[in-house]
Amino acid sequence: MLKTVQQALFSTGLQLPKWLPVENKATDYEVRKYGATKWVSTKVIGMELDPAISKGFMRLFNYIQGNNEKKVKIEMTAPVTCLVDPGAGPICETTFTTSFYIPEEHQADPVKT
């Protein structure tokens, strides 16, 4: 499964942040160490994971399609991450932070939203 995901990512030509492998003892996942990089993120407050991730992804997709301060298109990158920060109780809103890696050519001076 991991090799299939890696093949899909690498075959698409998406830019990835640089990383180093960490000693792995499992065959179904890989532990990596990433260097410091810049990412663009958006937060969505909600109760359900899928709609929140979809909303966050679309905000960031619009950003890379030119809906940003400089009106420039930015290449899609991988991975797309989502940090889930649960609310205080069982029926509380959760904060979902969706993030895109900023491509290497924009790392020194990221385009503002």
Side-chain angles (χ1 to χ4, degrees):
M1 167 94 166
L2 180 60
K3 289 188 184 213
T4 304
V5 171
Q6 286 176 331
Q7 289 168 347
L9 287 175
F10 290 114
S11 66
T12 61
L14 294 178
Q15 194 175 136
L16 304 164
K18 292 181 174 76
W19 56 272
L20 296 171
V22 177
E23 182 179 341
N24 289 306
K25 297 185 180 186
T27 58
D28 58 344
Y29 67 89
E30 182 175 68
V31 178
R32 297 175 174 182
K33 181 177 180 176
Y34 288 87
T37 54
K38 295 178 183 171
W39 296 64
V40 61
S41 302
T42 186
K43 291 183 180 186
V44 176
I45 308 296
M47 299 289 284
E48 296 181 36
L49 177 69
D50 288 341
I53 290 175
S54 180
K55 185 175 185 176
F57 182 90
M58 288 312 298
R59 283 181 188 167
L60 295 176
F61 183 76
N62 288 331
Y63 164 81
I64 67 171
Q65 288 299 303
N67 188 11
N68 54 57
E69 184 180 72
K70 294 182 181 177
K71 305 292 185 223
V72 297
K73 286 191 175 187
I74 300 168
E75 293 296 319
M76 182 69 187
T77 60
V80 176
T81 66
C82 185
L83 173 67
V84 179
D85 186 16
I91 307 178
C92 293
E93 291 185 319
T94 295
T95 302
F96 301 91
T97 305
T98 305
S99 303
F100 284 8
Y101 166 67
I102 295 175
E104 191 66 37
E105 61 269 20
H106 296 287
Q107 281 287 311
D109 187 24
V111 179
K112 294 185 174 107
T113 54

